[in-house]
Amino acid sequence: MPADALTLTAAGPDGHPREVRLSSPDKVVWPATDHGPAITKADLAAYLDAVAVPMLRGLADRPVTLQRVRGGIEGEEFYSKNPPKGVPDFSRTTICTYPSGRSHPQLVVDDAATLLWTAQMGTVTWHPWPVRSGDNDHPDEVRIDLDPQPGRAFADVVEAARGLREVMTDAGLTPFVKTTGNRGVHVFAAVEPRLEFLEVRHAVIGLARELERRMPDLVTTAWWKEERGSKIFVDYNQATRDRTLAAAWSPRILPGAPVSVPLTWDRLGEVDPASLTVHTVPGFLAEHGDAWEGLHRDPGVVDAAYALWEADLERGLGELNFPPDHPKMPGEPPRVQPSKKVAEHWDEQGNRI
């Protein structure tokens, strides 16, 4: 007979054990696929227990957006920026300011007990901000998403990632890489939290444009999909305020329960991302360890990357498009698909006439 609920025990923020109630533990979150049997809510909790130590390295002391589901991944999907109702008294929140200028609290996932509670609340993917809770305005991570267009093989993404590694290393950064849990790659670097989001975004644009110059046939910084062709998009907007990427070791809301997994640069390209799932990743972690354990051991500075941005300004290259939910920014290109743009309807600043 299926259990109505389980009581799990995990370490709280003080290291002392805390109890977390897991209702409907037999509820299927991921249906069975060719990659493995169905994964239940209890299975997800067991997975989180197995990867809690490295996963919390990327979550703790950061505001976290929760990607949640009702009825498993085939049901309703939604994002929680406000903490869900019933936050445990041992968990905490931090105030974040959004592009609109409004502010409200977001949950901070500091400990295994809070992590399990978020799973109880239907969370399947965890999205930490690139800031610490004591200073939510100055990122301490540079994050770049390499997003392949349809038809690109993963080997092409690996080639682009290695090129990005060279660009970032030349700029004095130490890049780390992970699978996205889908078709792309995420490249991170720890930095000193000295610059605000807009400045860090400009530094990332500097890196992205330099990669585009070095690999013009493979990558692009074109925001509009119709301009990308078959190239790999270097998503600079992941450095924008209120934009987040899936945490290292987080599952994704995709069939087969793939996981975003840190890899060494040597192992990138040797491991099939599709093989890294909730079923297999605990064993992978036990065998290979956490490739991102040293991510924040020696943070760099973004000065050289920002200098690339400034050099591009001298060349006449300016601002790039922001996400559509952001306010119109100074110097931003028109927010209209190039194929739909009628020149006489826009002024030089990209404002509609």
Side-chain angles (χ1 to χ4, degrees):
M1 183 175 180
D4 292 330
L6 294 176
T7 299
L8 307 177
T9 302
D14 51 10
H16 296 152
R18 305 281 183 155
E19 291 187 345
V20 178
R21 183 178 184 273
L22 192 75
S23 64
S24 304
D26 298 314
K27 179 186 292 185
V28 172
V29 182
W30 285 272
T33 68
D34 292 342
H35 291 287
I39 295 168
T40 65
K41 200 171 176 182
D43 294 331
L44 174 58
Y47 169 80
L48 294 174
D49 181 65
V51 302
V53 171
M55 190 169 177
L56 287 169
R57 288 194 191 105
L59 293 177
D61 198 30
R62 300 182 184 278
V64 178
T65 298
L66 306 176
Q67 192 174 3
R68 300 165 65 194
V69 295
R70 291 191 181 99
I73 68 162
E74 296 181 336
E76 179 188 2
E77 173 190 340
F78 58 103
Y79 287 83
S80 288
K81 295 182 181 179
N82 282 299
K85 293 181 180 179
V87 174
D89 57 9
F90 55 78
S91 302
R92 67 186 179 103
T93 62
T94 184
I95 298 295
C96 291
T97 301
Y98 301 88
S100 64
R102 65 184 178 87
S103 300
H104 67 66
Q106 285 204 209
L107 188 69
V108 180
V109 182
D110 284 325
D111 52 86
T114 300
L115 182 61
L116 287 178
W117 178 80
T118 58
Q120 156 62 17
M121 300 306 293
T123 304
V124 173
T125 305
W126 288 256
H127 296 261
W129 281 46
V131 296
R132 300 288 179 171
S133 65
D135 179 359
N136 290 334
D137 296 317
H138 295 83
D140 71 338
E141 289 178 347
V142 163
R143 301 174 173 182
I144 301 175
D145 179 16
L146 294 177
D147 182 13
Q149 302 309 291
R152 280 288 175 182
F154 186 68
D156 297 326
V157 185
V158 171
E159 182 182 354
R162 289 175 174 153
L164 179 58
R165 181 191 188 190
E166 291 182 4
V167 171
M168 295 176 71
T169 300
D170 289 347
L173 301 174
T174 303
F176 288 72
V177 67
K178 67 182 178 75
T179 64
T180 64
N182 200 351
R183 299 177 58 246
V185 159
H186 294 158
V187 181
F188 282 37
V191 296
E192 296 178 3
R194 294 191 290 109
L195 300 183
E196 206 271 338
F197 273 95
L198 183 60
E199 296 169 308
V200 173
R201 178 182 179 275
H202 285 161
V204 168
I205 290 175
L207 295 168
R209 281 175 165 156
E210 177 61 21
L211 179 62
E212 189 176 33
R213 279 188 287 270
R214 297 186 188 187
M215 299 180 131
D217 296 328
L218 183 61
V219 305
T220 180
T221 58
W223 175 250
W224 297 103
K225 289 185 178 180
E226 66 184 42
E227 294 186 319
R228 297 176 190 170
S230 63
K231 296 179 182 179
I232 296 164
F233 175 49
V234 188
D235 191 352
Y236 54 86
N237 266 332
Q238 296 301 338
T240 306
R241 181 183 291 272
D242 195 26
R243 280 297 179 274
T244 56
L245 293 170
W249 307 103
S250 177
R252 305 304 304 271
I253 302 182
L254 292 169
V259 175
S260 181
V261 177
L263 299 174
T264 62
W265 284 101
D266 289 341
R267 190 161 283 122
L268 179 67
E270 295 180 357
V271 178
D272 177 6
S275 71
L276 299 171
T277 71
V278 167
H279 289 295
T280 64
V281 164
F284 181 90
L285 174 62
E287 181 178 356
H288 300 291
D290 180 14
W292 279 24
E293 184 174 359
L295 174 60
H296 282 272
R297 192 167 293 151
D298 186 21
V301 295
V302 296
D303 297 24
Y306 194 82
L308 292 172
W309 159 263
E310 292 182 315
D312 282 338
L313 291 179
E314 293 293 325
R315 296 186 183 102
L317 299 175
E319 188 58 90
L320 293 178
N321 288 96
F322 282 76
D325 60 343
H326 279 55
K328 180 71 176 177
M329 297 297 288
E332 183 183 358
R335 291 190 178 182
V336 62
Q337 289 176 241
S339 61
K340 296 181 179 180
K341 182 180 176 183
V342 180
E344 59 265 27
H345 293 170
W346 302 86
D347 64 20
E348 292 181 357
Q349 284 72 46
N351 298 309
R352 194 174 184 88
I353 300 174

mmCIF file of all heavy atoms in Angstrom, residues 167 201-214 221 234 236 303-320:
data_model
loop_
_atom_site.group_PDB
_atom_site.id
_atom_site.type_symbol
_atom_site.label_atom_id
_atom_site.label_comp_id
_atom_site.label_asym_id
_atom_site.label_seq_id
_atom_site.Cartn_x
_atom_site.Cartn_y
_atom_site.Cartn_z
ATOM 1 N N VAL A 167 39.377 32.337 -24.259
ATOM 2 C CA VAL A 167 39.068 33.771 -24.153
ATOM 3 C C VAL A 167 39.029 34.205 -22.690
ATOM 4 O O VAL A 167 39.605 35.238 -22.313
ATOM 5 C CB VAL A 167 37.730 34.088 -24.848
ATOM 6 C CG1 VAL A 167 37.287 35.519 -24.563
ATOM 7 C CG2 VAL A 167 37.852 33.866 -26.351
ATOM 8 N N ARG A 201 27.498 42.356 -16.943
ATOM 9 C CA ARG A 201 26.902 41.989 -18.233
ATOM 10 C C ARG A 201 27.734 42.542 -19.390
ATOM 11 O O ARG A 201 27.974 41.846 -20.383
ATOM 12 C CB ARG A 201 25.473 42.522 -18.301
ATOM 13 C CG ARG A 201 24.754 42.252 -19.627
ATOM 14 C CD ARG A 201 23.357 42.873 -19.575
ATOM 15 N NE ARG A 201 22.622 42.665 -20.818
ATOM 16 C CZ ARG A 201 22.717 43.432 -21.893
ATOM 17 N NH1 ARG A 201 23.542 44.491 -21.878
ATOM 18 N NH2 ARG A 201 22.001 43.185 -22.979
ATOM 19 N N HIS A 202 28.196 43.766 -19.261
ATOM 20 C CA HIS A 202 29.025 44.345 -20.320
ATOM 21 C C HIS A 202 30.353 43.593 -20.454
ATOM 22 O O HIS A 202 30.853 43.391 -21.571
ATOM 23 C CB HIS A 202 29.269 45.826 -20.042
ATOM 24 C CG HIS A 202 28.063 46.672 -20.319
ATOM 25 N ND1 HIS A 202 27.898 47.941 -19.792
ATOM 26 C CD2 HIS A 202 26.948 46.438 -21.069
ATOM 27 C CE1 HIS A 202 26.741 48.437 -20.216
ATOM 28 N NE2 HIS A 202 26.147 47.543 -20.980
ATOM 29 N N ALA A 203 30.919 43.169 -19.330
ATOM 30 C CA ALA A 203 32.145 42.370 -19.392
ATOM 31 C C ALA A 203 31.882 41.050 -20.117
ATOM 32 O O ALA A 203 32.720 40.593 -20.911
ATOM 33 C CB ALA A 203 32.675 42.117 -17.982
ATOM 34 N N VAL A 204 30.732 40.439 -19.857
ATOM 35 C CA VAL A 204 30.384 39.181 -20.525
ATOM 36 C C VAL A 204 30.177 39.414 -22.018
ATOM 37 O O VAL A 204 30.589 38.594 -22.848
ATOM 38 C CB VAL A 204 29.137 38.559 -19.869
ATOM 39 C CG1 VAL A 204 28.594 37.415 -20.721
ATOM 40 C CG2 VAL A 204 29.478 38.046 -18.476
ATOM 41 N N ILE A 205 29.560 40.533 -22.383
ATOM 42 C CA ILE A 205 29.415 40.859 -23.803
ATOM 43 C C ILE A 205 30.800 41.000 -24.450
ATOM 44 O O ILE A 205 31.022 40.557 -25.582
ATOM 45 C CB ILE A 205 28.582 42.138 -23.990
ATOM 46 C CG1 ILE A 205 27.118 41.874 -23.616
ATOM 47 C CG2 ILE A 205 28.673 42.643 -25.431
ATOM 48 C CD1 ILE A 205 26.243 43.111 -23.645
ATOM 49 N N GLY A 206 31.738 41.609 -23.720
ATOM 50 C CA GLY A 206 33.103 41.713 -24.224
ATOM 51 C C GLY A 206 33.699 40.347 -24.505
ATOM 52 O O GLY A 206 34.324 40.121 -25.559
ATOM 53 N N LEU A 207 33.505 39.402 -23.592
ATOM 54 C CA LEU A 207 34.004 38.039 -23.797
ATOM 55 C C LEU A 207 33.291 37.373 -24.972
ATOM 56 O O LEU A 207 33.926 36.699 -25.800
ATOM 57 C CB LEU A 207 33.784 37.209 -22.529
ATOM 58 C CG LEU A 207 34.560 37.625 -21.277
ATOM 59 C CD1 LEU A 207 34.016 36.886 -20.055
ATOM 60 C CD2 LEU A 207 36.054 37.363 -21.441
ATOM 61 N N ALA A 208 31.983 37.554 -25.050
ATOM 62 C CA ALA A 208 31.197 36.905 -26.098
ATOM 63 C C ALA A 208 31.600 37.410 -27.481
ATOM 64 O O ALA A 208 31.740 36.618 -28.429
ATOM 65 C CB ALA A 208 29.714 37.150 -25.854
ATOM 66 N N ARG A 209 31.796 38.721 -27.606
ATOM 67 C CA ARG A 209 32.183 39.269 -28.901
ATOM 68 C C ARG A 209 33.595 38.830 -29.309
ATOM 69 O O ARG A 209 33.872 38.592 -30.486
ATOM 70 C CB ARG A 209 32.085 40.798 -28.859
ATOM 71 C CG ARG A 209 30.650 41.308 -29.004
ATOM 72 C CD ARG A 209 30.573 42.803 -28.833
ATOM 73 N NE ARG A 209 29.293 43.337 -29.303
ATOM 74 C CZ ARG A 209 28.766 44.482 -28.888
ATOM 75 N NH1 ARG A 209 29.407 45.223 -28.001
ATOM 76 N NH2 ARG A 209 27.608 44.890 -29.369
ATOM 77 N N GLU A 210 34.478 38.715 -28.324
ATOM 78 C CA GLU A 210 35.822 38.239 -28.628
ATOM 79 C C GLU A 210 35.775 36.793 -29.108
ATOM 80 O O GLU A 210 36.472 36.421 -30.061
ATOM 81 C CB GLU A 210 36.718 38.365 -27.395
ATOM 82 C CG GLU A 210 38.135 37.823 -27.578
ATOM 83 C CD GLU A 210 38.924 38.542 -28.668
ATOM 84 O OE1 GLU A 210 38.577 39.693 -29.033
ATOM 85 O OE2 GLU A 210 39.904 37.951 -29.169
ATOM 86 N N LEU A 211 34.941 35.956 -28.483
ATOM 87 C CA LEU A 211 34.788 34.582 -28.941
ATOM 88 C C LEU A 211 34.208 34.552 -30.355
ATOM 89 O O LEU A 211 34.640 33.761 -31.202
ATOM 90 C CB LEU A 211 33.872 33.805 -27.984
ATOM 91 C CG LEU A 211 33.604 32.342 -28.348
ATOM 92 C CD1 LEU A 211 34.895 31.534 -28.355
ATOM 93 C CD2 LEU A 211 32.587 31.730 -27.407
ATOM 94 N N GLU A 212 33.256 35.430 -30.620
ATOM 95 C CA GLU A 212 32.651 35.511 -31.954
ATOM 96 C C GLU A 212 33.695 35.896 -33.006
ATOM 97 O O GLU A 212 33.671 35.379 -34.129
ATOM 98 C CB GLU A 212 31.510 36.526 -31.921
ATOM 99 C CG GLU A 212 30.651 36.562 -33.161
ATOM 100 C CD GLU A 212 29.482 37.524 -32.995
ATOM 101 O OE1 GLU A 212 29.640 38.554 -32.286
ATOM 102 O OE2 GLU A 212 28.417 37.267 -33.585
ATOM 103 N N ARG A 213 34.610 36.784 -32.639
ATOM 104 C CA ARG A 213 35.677 37.145 -33.584
ATOM 105 C C ARG A 213 36.595 35.964 -33.866
ATOM 106 O O ARG A 213 37.065 35.774 -34.991
ATOM 107 C CB ARG A 213 36.498 38.326 -33.037
ATOM 108 C CG ARG A 213 35.867 39.688 -33.263
ATOM 109 C CD ARG A 213 36.807 40.806 -32.878
ATOM 110 N NE ARG A 213 36.952 40.938 -31.443
ATOM 111 C CZ ARG A 213 36.167 41.714 -30.677
ATOM 112 N NH1 ARG A 213 35.191 42.410 -31.230
ATOM 113 N NH2 ARG A 213 36.364 41.785 -29.384
ATOM 114 N N ARG A 214 36.871 35.173 -32.830
ATOM 115 C CA ARG A 214 37.788 34.047 -33.000
ATOM 116 C C ARG A 214 37.127 32.855 -33.691
ATOM 117 O O ARG A 214 37.818 32.052 -34.335
ATOM 118 C CB ARG A 214 38.338 33.612 -31.634
ATOM 119 C CG ARG A 214 39.168 34.663 -30.933
ATOM 120 C CD ARG A 214 39.796 34.102 -29.668
ATOM 121 N NE ARG A 214 40.457 35.129 -28.867
ATOM 122 C CZ ARG A 214 41.190 34.888 -27.779
ATOM 123 N NH1 ARG A 214 41.369 33.625 -27.371
ATOM 124 N NH2 ARG A 214 41.747 35.879 -27.104
ATOM 125 N N THR A 221 26.583 36.231 -31.308
ATOM 126 C CA THR A 221 25.969 36.986 -30.214
ATOM 127 C C THR A 221 24.621 37.556 -30.641
ATOM 128 O O THR A 221 24.048 38.383 -29.943
ATOM 129 C CB THR A 221 26.884 38.143 -29.765
ATOM 130 O OG1 THR A 221 27.146 39.008 -30.888
ATOM 131 C CG2 THR A 221 28.191 37.634 -29.192
ATOM 132 N N VAL A 234 25.928 32.636 -27.887
ATOM 133 C CA VAL A 234 26.622 32.921 -26.639
ATOM 134 C C VAL A 234 25.699 33.829 -25.833
ATOM 135 O O VAL A 234 25.620 35.035 -26.071
ATOM 136 C CB VAL A 234 27.975 33.615 -26.892
ATOM 137 C CG1 VAL A 234 28.767 33.717 -25.587
ATOM 138 C CG2 VAL A 234 28.781 32.850 -27.937
ATOM 139 N N TYR A 236 24.760 36.107 -23.509
ATOM 140 C CA TYR A 236 25.303 37.117 -22.589
ATOM 141 C C TYR A 236 24.264 37.580 -21.578
ATOM 142 O O TYR A 236 24.616 38.107 -20.512
ATOM 143 C CB TYR A 236 25.805 38.325 -23.402
ATOM 144 C CG TYR A 236 24.752 38.889 -24.323
ATOM 145 C CD1 TYR A 236 23.834 39.816 -23.879
ATOM 146 C CD2 TYR A 236 24.650 38.448 -25.637
ATOM 147 C CE1 TYR A 236 22.842 40.308 -24.715
ATOM 148 C CE2 TYR A 236 23.673 38.929 -26.480
ATOM 149 C CZ TYR A 236 22.764 39.858 -26.011
ATOM 150 O OH TYR A 236 21.777 40.329 -26.844
ATOM 151 N N ASP A 303 38.155 42.954 -14.845
ATOM 152 C CA ASP A 303 38.720 44.149 -15.475
ATOM 153 C C ASP A 303 39.091 43.930 -16.938
ATOM 154 O O ASP A 303 38.756 44.739 -17.814
ATOM 155 C CB ASP A 303 39.956 44.612 -14.695
ATOM 156 C CG ASP A 303 39.632 45.021 -13.266
ATOM 157 O OD1 ASP A 303 38.607 44.545 -12.739
ATOM 158 O OD2 ASP A 303 40.392 45.794 -12.688
ATOM 159 N N ALA A 304 39.793 42.832 -17.223
ATOM 160 C CA ALA A 304 40.235 42.599 -18.602
ATOM 161 C C ALA A 304 39.055 42.298 -19.511
ATOM 162 O O ALA A 304 39.037 42.707 -20.677
ATOM 163 C CB ALA A 304 41.250 41.458 -18.640
ATOM 164 N N ALA A 305 38.057 41.588 -18.994
ATOM 165 C CA ALA A 305 36.854 41.333 -19.784
ATOM 166 C C ALA A 305 36.106 42.636 -20.050
ATOM 167 O O ALA A 305 35.621 42.873 -21.163
ATOM 168 C CB ALA A 305 35.957 40.332 -19.066
ATOM 169 N N TYR A 306 36.029 43.488 -19.037
ATOM 170 C CA TYR A 306 35.360 44.782 -19.220
ATOM 171 C C TYR A 306 36.134 45.648 -20.213
ATOM 172 O O TYR A 306 35.538 46.421 -20.973
ATOM 173 C CB TYR A 306 35.220 45.501 -17.878
ATOM 174 C CG TYR A 306 34.265 46.672 -17.938
ATOM 175 C CD1 TYR A 306 32.890 46.474 -17.836
ATOM 176 C CD2 TYR A 306 34.728 47.975 -18.124
ATOM 177 C CE1 TYR A 306 32.006 47.534 -17.913
ATOM 178 C CE2 TYR A 306 33.844 49.040 -18.195
ATOM 179 C CZ TYR A 306 32.490 48.817 -18.086
ATOM 180 O OH TYR A 306 31.605 49.873 -18.172
ATOM 181 N N ALA A 307 37.450 45.517 -20.229
ATOM 182 C CA ALA A 307 38.260 46.255 -21.202
ATOM 183 C C ALA A 307 37.918 45.836 -22.636
ATOM 184 O O ALA A 307 37.996 46.656 -23.563
ATOM 185 C CB ALA A 307 39.744 46.048 -20.924
ATOM 186 N N LEU A 308 37.544 44.564 -22.840
ATOM 187 C CA LEU A 308 37.103 44.121 -24.163
ATOM 188 C C LEU A 308 35.840 44.867 -24.576
ATOM 189 O O LEU A 308 35.690 45.279 -25.730
ATOM 190 C CB LEU A 308 36.849 42.616 -24.157
ATOM 191 C CG LEU A 308 38.064 41.696 -23.998
ATOM 192 C CD1 LEU A 308 37.611 40.252 -23.807
ATOM 193 C CD2 LEU A 308 38.982 41.810 -25.217
ATOM 194 N N TRP A 309 34.923 45.035 -23.629
ATOM 195 C CA TRP A 309 33.702 45.814 -23.885
ATOM 196 C C TRP A 309 34.048 47.251 -24.271
ATOM 197 O O TRP A 309 33.514 47.786 -25.246
ATOM 198 C CB TRP A 309 32.804 45.774 -22.657
ATOM 199 C CG TRP A 309 31.790 46.883 -22.559
ATOM 200 C CD1 TRP A 309 31.908 48.043 -21.847
ATOM 201 C CD2 TRP A 309 30.511 46.948 -23.208
ATOM 202 N NE1 TRP A 309 30.783 48.825 -21.999
ATOM 203 C CE2 TRP A 309 29.910 48.177 -22.831
ATOM 204 C CE3 TRP A 309 29.813 46.097 -24.049
ATOM 205 C CZ2 TRP A 309 28.645 48.563 -23.268
ATOM 206 C CZ3 TRP A 309 28.552 46.474 -24.501
ATOM 207 C CH2 TRP A 309 27.980 47.691 -24.118
ATOM 208 N N GLU A 310 34.944 47.861 -23.505
ATOM 209 C CA GLU A 310 35.308 49.254 -23.791
ATOM 210 C C GLU A 310 35.999 49.385 -25.142
ATOM 211 O O GLU A 310 35.765 50.363 -25.875
ATOM 212 C CB GLU A 310 36.207 49.781 -22.669
ATOM 213 C CG GLU A 310 35.476 49.935 -21.335
ATOM 214 C CD GLU A 310 36.368 50.492 -20.258
ATOM 215 O OE1 GLU A 310 37.517 50.008 -20.144
ATOM 216 O OE2 GLU A 310 35.936 51.416 -19.542
ATOM 217 N N ALA A 311 36.836 48.407 -25.504
ATOM 218 C CA ALA A 311 37.492 48.443 -26.810
ATOM 219 C C ALA A 311 36.469 48.318 -27.933
ATOM 220 O O ALA A 311 36.597 48.965 -28.985
ATOM 221 C CB ALA A 311 38.524 47.318 -26.904
ATOM 222 N N ASP A 312 35.427 47.519 -27.718
ATOM 223 C CA ASP A 312 34.374 47.396 -28.719
ATOM 224 C C ASP A 312 33.576 48.684 -28.854
ATOM 225 O O ASP A 312 33.115 49.023 -29.960
ATOM 226 C CB ASP A 312 33.447 46.227 -28.365
ATOM 227 C CG ASP A 312 34.057 44.882 -28.714
ATOM 228 O OD1 ASP A 312 34.961 44.845 -29.563
ATOM 229 O OD2 ASP A 312 33.624 43.869 -28.142
ATOM 230 N N LEU A 313 33.407 49.400 -27.756
ATOM 231 C CA LEU A 313 32.746 50.709 -27.849
ATOM 232 C C LEU A 313 33.548 51.638 -28.759
ATOM 233 O O LEU A 313 32.970 52.380 -29.567
ATOM 234 C CB LEU A 313 32.589 51.331 -26.458
ATOM 235 C CG LEU A 313 31.606 50.655 -25.497
ATOM 236 C CD1 LEU A 313 31.598 51.405 -24.160
ATOM 237 C CD2 LEU A 313 30.196 50.613 -26.079
ATOM 238 N N GLU A 314 34.869 51.591 -28.636
ATOM 239 C CA GLU A 314 35.721 52.418 -29.492
ATOM 240 C C GLU A 314 35.591 52.006 -30.961
ATOM 241 O O GLU A 314 35.757 52.833 -31.862
ATOM 242 C CB GLU A 314 37.188 52.300 -29.040
ATOM 243 C CG GLU A 314 37.474 52.894 -27.669
ATOM 244 C CD GLU A 314 37.306 54.404 -27.665
ATOM 245 O OE1 GLU A 314 37.625 55.038 -28.692
ATOM 246 O OE2 GLU A 314 36.851 54.943 -26.634
ATOM 247 N N ARG A 315 35.289 50.723 -31.197
ATOM 248 C CA ARG A 315 35.116 50.238 -32.572
ATOM 249 C C ARG A 315 33.729 50.569 -33.129
ATOM 250 O O ARG A 315 33.428 50.249 -34.276
ATOM 251 C CB ARG A 315 35.313 48.715 -32.621
ATOM 252 C CG ARG A 315 36.702 48.224 -32.248
ATOM 253 C CD ARG A 315 36.790 46.718 -32.478
ATOM 254 N NE ARG A 315 38.090 46.196 -32.076
ATOM 255 C CZ ARG A 315 38.318 45.547 -30.936
ATOM 256 N NH1 ARG A 315 37.326 45.329 -30.086
ATOM 257 N NH2 ARG A 315 39.529 45.110 -30.643
ATOM 258 N N GLY A 316 32.877 51.143 -32.288
ATOM 259 C CA GLY A 316 31.531 51.470 -32.736
ATOM 260 C C GLY A 316 30.487 50.427 -32.400
ATOM 261 O O GLY A 316 29.330 50.543 -32.815
ATOM 262 N N LEU A 317 30.890 49.393 -31.643
ATOM 263 C CA LEU A 317 29.929 48.383 -31.201
ATOM 264 C C LEU A 317 29.325 48.825 -29.882
ATOM 265 O O LEU A 317 30.055 49.186 -28.950
ATOM 266 C CB LEU A 317 30.617 47.021 -31.035
ATOM 267 C CG LEU A 317 31.237 46.438 -32.305
ATOM 268 C CD1 LEU A 317 31.997 45.161 -31.969
ATOM 269 C CD2 LEU A 317 30.163 46.172 -33.340
ATOM 270 N N GLY A 318 28.013 48.793 -29.779
ATOM 271 C CA GLY A 318 27.361 49.299 -28.574
ATOM 272 C C GLY A 318 26.585 48.247 -27.816
ATOM 273 O O GLY A 318 26.937 47.065 -27.817
ATOM 274 N N GLU A 319 25.510 48.691 -27.201
ATOM 275 C CA GLU A 319 24.686 47.842 -26.353
ATOM 276 C C GLU A 319 24.000 46.757 -27.175
ATOM 277 O O GLU A 319 23.736 46.922 -28.371
ATOM 278 C CB GLU A 319 23.632 48.711 -25.644
ATOM 279 C CG GLU A 319 22.818 48.008 -24.586
ATOM 280 C CD GLU A 319 23.669 47.408 -23.491
ATOM 281 O OE1 GLU A 319 23.939 48.108 -22.503
ATOM 282 O OE2 GLU A 319 24.067 46.231 -23.639
ATOM 283 N N LEU A 320 23.705 45.624 -26.521
ATOM 284 C CA LEU A 320 22.936 44.547 -27.131
ATOM 285 C C LEU A 320 21.582 44.444 -26.436
ATOM 286 O O LEU A 320 21.368 45.008 -25.360
ATOM 287 C CB LEU A 320 23.701 43.224 -27.023
ATOM 288 C CG LEU A 320 25.001 43.134 -27.831
ATOM 289 C CD1 LEU A 320 25.688 41.795 -27.590
ATOM 290 C CD2 LEU A 320 24.739 43.328 -29.320
#
